[in-house]
Every structure is written in C-alpha cells, then in structure tokens.
Amino acid sequence: MNPALTQFGTQMSHLTGVRAIMKDIIETLRAGTGQEFINLSAGNPVILPEVEQLWRDCTAELLASAEYGEVVCRYGSSQGYQPLIDAVRDDFNRRYGLSLTDRNILITPGSQSIYFYAANAFGGYTAPPPSPPYQGGVRGGSLKHIVLPLSPDYTGYGGVSLIPEAVIACKPTLDIDAPAHRFKYRPDFSQLSIDETSGCVIFSRPCNPTGNVLTDDEVKKIAAMASVFDVPVLIDSAYGPPFPALNYTEMTPIFGENIIHCMSLSKAGLPGERIGIAIGDENIIQVLQSFQTNMCIHSPRYGQAIAARAINSGALADIGVNVIRPYYQSKFDVVETTLEQAMPKDLPWFLHRGEGAIFAWLWLKDLPMTDWEFYQQLKQVGVILVPGSSFFPGLREDWRHKQECLRISLTATNQEIETAMKRLAKMVEKVYQVDLSPV
C-alpha cells in the first residue's frame, strides 16, 4: 500500500539530522562482520548502577503503595501527575527562591515534545486575514520564525516545525585559543535578530552537541531582546541543574516572564519513560497544555510517579551532582588528555571547551574533505563518530565550518575512548598529509 501523503505527512516522514546518520551507523555495525567498532556515536546515557538502583527503589515504593492502581490504571490530568507537579514546584521554589504555583508547570512525554508544541503554537504561518476570501491551504498570513540564537545546536530542532522554513539559526562567533587548541562558540549579537517576525526562541544550555554553556549575561540579553516583542524563550536544560546537573562549569538556571525552563529526566536515568518538564508563565504553559491535550491527552504516569519520589527525597539532585556529573566529566578528561598527547601540534584542530553534556566537539579547521567523508574514513579504522554538519539546523549560510566538525560521545569505556582518539589522531595526520618526521 502506498497512500498519498499530505505536505505535513511528507515533512514528518523524513529522517532528519542524527536520525538519518544513525541509520547508516546501524547498517555499518550490522554489516561489519569480523570488524570490531568503537562506537562513539551514542546519545543513550550509560546505565550507571547507582542511578538504576535509585529507580528500582522508587519503583518498589510505588508498587507497595496504595496509589499504584490510581497511577497505572486510570487516566490523569493533561497537565501532569499532581505529586510530580508538587515536587517540582516545591523543589524549585526552595532551591531558586521562586514563587511557582501549579499553573506554572507542565509535564510532557519528553522535552522534545515541548519544543514541538511551542514551535507550532508560536512559529509558522499566522492565520490569513478574513478578506479577501480565504483560498485554502496553510500558508496564509505572515511567517513567524523559530529562532535558534547559537548554531550549532541540538539537531532535533530541525524537525520540530511543521513549516521547515520557519526555523532559522544565527551564525556564532568563535572564541579561539590557538596555542591551547581550544575554542568556544558565542552568540553573535550583531547578527542575531529577534523582532515582530519571531515566534519563539529555542536553545540548549548546556548544549548538545558542543558542551557549550551560554553565560548568564548572554541568556539574559537574549531574553531581553525577545521580551520587547512578547516572544517566548525556551531554554532546553536537558543537561542542566538541578538534575541531571551535567554542567562542568558553574551555571545558574535563568527564569523570567518570557522564559520557559525546559527539563528532561532522560539523562537522569529515565530516557525510556519520556518525562519532560516545562516551567514558566502560566499563559504560555496553558497554550502548551492545550496542544498536549489534543495530541496525546497526557504524559505516561508511571515514570512521573517514581520521579516525584526521587525529587522529594532529594536523591535525584544528589545523584546528579555526585554520580552522573563526575562520571561524564572524567570521560571528557580522557578525550582531552588523549587528544593533547596524540594530535599533531602544528595542525589546526580545536576541541570545544568542555562545559557540560555528554559529548565532546572537535573542529578540524581546513579539513581537506567533508565531515561525512572523514566519518567514512574513520569507519575504516573501526571508529564511529557523528559528522557535525547535522547540528546546524536552520543555518542556511554557506559556511565551511559546518563540514569540519565531529561529535564524540562520552558513553564508552575509558580504554575505548583513548584508543579511538589515538586512531582519530592518526587519521587526521593522514588526511592532512603532514610530514612530521624530523628535519
């Protein structure tokens, strides 16, 4: 059967970003009979024993409680499971000195759904005027953009809008420390435009894929620019504090009238349960909740029930700081140390400052081939990374930098990471065709 697709059906049936690359990676792993690969492409968090035990303990409490049947066997509020809403409200009010009420919080099936709701509620085409007579179709009125103020950023933002042309990204400035082979992306405020054509702003902090953390001042400046035009700013805190607290540099969540603080419990050990949390202005939360009601009624409640226990006990915040963060930070240290030792000193390679998340980001300036071609070369020596060009959704400018970067997952063992980085260094030397022999 081959039914005809609508324009939205065509748009949403295409694989985008890393999902398209993962198809090639899966096929490579299946076809690689006799060849062992070090797979540093994964975004799946490592199952850490202490984290798994936390969720086992919370599950045992739920199973033994009188509320189990109510949680699993009944529908619930589209806003979310009330004990989880209460737990988030009380924790954030105490931790950050806020005055949140229930109406400021929405629980969703993963944080990706929050951005889908927002991108299509605030971005895309506005309703066409009532006259002249409406001619049909969706592309009436004016186009409201989904603004990504710092590129590269999370590849999933490229697929959140039903109107792909609505997503626009801003080219960053590069803060380069050449002697140290380090660099950092920063928003280019001379190029960033947020105005009456903007529907919403989205960015991740800490950033997937680069590990970048926007400063407090940069976040406040973006929010202030958007506030002038009543534009919501969604801050993707899937790696941020208080849980999973995968920030390696000091950072403070920023709250404000037009800011929606978006969290996920995926990197806190519950990716299979799909729990997203949106915190912000109750009028915006109500719009997102209505979108969710029409789409899926409500988020699954089992994961919400055990998450409420983990937050109320303080165990989730504690395990983020004392278990999850140091585990991944130590993996980044292995990447950093090995590259410093193995990479040719006179080549223009730059590692992004490791400020958070579960990835490292490598820029190979003036790479003599595309990132996709280099990815294919690395497969020949048993290493799988993710080409960086997938992480520039909405950036339409022709910029060579987009084909010079690689994302390195921190989910492998120390030995695997060290071996992979050494093989990477040898391949870099080979493709740049550098003679490093003594003169």
Side-chain angles (χ1 to χ4, degrees), residues 35 57 93 142 158 166 174 205 277 302 318 350 381 387 395 408:
Q35 183 179 10
D57 292 344
N93 284 345
S142 59
L174 276 61
R205 181 180 189 248
I277 304 168
Y302 163 79
D318 179 72
F350 302 95
V381 294
L395 187 61
I408 303 166

Side-chain angles (χ1 to χ4, degrees), residues 62 80 93 128 173 208 210 299 338:
L62 175 61
N93 284 345
T173 61
N208 171 2
T210 66
S299 181
T338 308

Side-chain angles (χ1 to χ4, degrees), residues 24 99 122 153 294 318 382 439:
D24 179 80
S99 301
F122 305 113
D153 210 331
N294 287 319
D318 179 72
V439 177

Side-chain angles (χ1 to χ4, degrees), residues 167-205:
V167 180
I168 58 171
C170 185
K171 182 179 172 182
T173 61
L174 276 61
D175 188 351
I176 302 172
D177 182 352
H181 291 277
R182 298 295 184 275
F183 83 111
K184 176 179 170 64
Y185 295 111
R186 296 191 182 277
D188 185 349
F189 287 102
S190 69
Q191 301 297 320
L192 177 59
S193 176
I194 302 174
D195 54 28
E196 64 279 353
T197 69
S198 306
C200 64
V201 176
I202 306 176
F203 59 88
S204 59
R205 181 180 189 248

Side-chain angles (χ1 to χ4, degrees), residues 44 60 64-65 79 87 99-100 117 128 191 220 224 231 291 314 325 387 411:
N44 245 338
S65 72
Q79 184 182 359
S99 301
L100 300 175
Y117 302 161
Q191 301 297 320
K220 290 174 182 177
V231 172
F291 207 115
R325 177 195 290 167
T411 57

Side-chain angles (χ1 to χ4, degrees), residues 52-280:
E52 182 180 5
Q53 190 60 52
L54 168 64
W55 298 120
R56 285 182 179 273
D57 292 344
C58 291
T59 296
E61 292 178 20
L62 175 61
L63 288 171
S65 72
E67 66 180 304
Y68 176 81
E70 187 70 22
V71 168
V72 176
C73 304
R74 299 186 68 85
Y75 290 112
S77 163
S78 60
Q79 184 182 359
Y81 181 58
Q82 191 60 46
L84 177 55
I85 292 173
D86 294 344
V88 172
R89 178 200 63 211
D90 295 345
D91 185 273
F92 273 67
N93 284 345
R94 180 183 66 256
R95 191 181 299 274
Y96 299 116
L98 303 176
S99 301
L100 300 175
T101 71
D102 295 3
R103 293 188 296 274
N104 298 119
I105 300 167
L106 174 67
I107 312 299
T108 67
S111 58
Q112 177 86 2
S113 60
I114 302 173
Y115 315 126
F116 183 80
Y117 302 161
N120 293 289
F122 305 113
Y125 288 93
T126 61
S131 59
Y134 180 46
Q135 299 299 316
V138 298
R139 284 167 167 75
S142 59
L143 179 62
K144 291 284 190 178
H145 292 115
I146 298 107
V147 180
L148 312 182
L150 185 68
S151 186
D153 210 331
Y154 175 48
T155 184
Y157 300 152
V160 294
S161 177
L162 294 170
I163 309 297
E165 65 265 31
V167 180
I168 58 171
C170 185
K171 182 179 172 182
T173 61
L174 276 61
D175 188 351
I176 302 172
D177 182 352
H181 291 277
R182 298 295 184 275
F183 83 111
K184 176 179 170 64
Y185 295 111
R186 296 191 182 277
D188 185 349
F189 287 102
S190 69
Q191 301 297 320
L192 177 59
S193 176
I194 302 174
D195 54 28
E196 64 279 353
T197 69
S198 306
C200 64
V201 176
I202 306 176
F203 59 88
S204 59
R205 181 180 189 248
C207 177
N208 171 2
T210 66
N212 189 35
V213 172
L214 270 69
T215 66
D216 289 1
D217 287 343
E218 288 168 342
V219 173
K220 290 174 182 177
K221 188 169 182 177
I222 292 170
M225 292 171 65
S227 179
V228 174
F229 300 95
D230 286 330
V231 172
V233 175
L234 289 91
I235 302 179
D236 182 347
S237 300
Y239 299 90
F243 27 80
L246 271 164
N247 55 298
Y248 312 144
T249 186
E250 286 296 319
M251 63 167 285
T252 305
I254 305 297
F255 303 92
E257 184 178 2
N258 65 325
I259 292 176
I260 305 298
H261 184 76
C262 306
M263 302 168 58
S264 167
L265 298 189
S266 292
K267 301 308 183 289
L270 285 183
E273 289 306 305
R274 312 307 302 133
I275 299 176
I277 304 168
I279 303 172

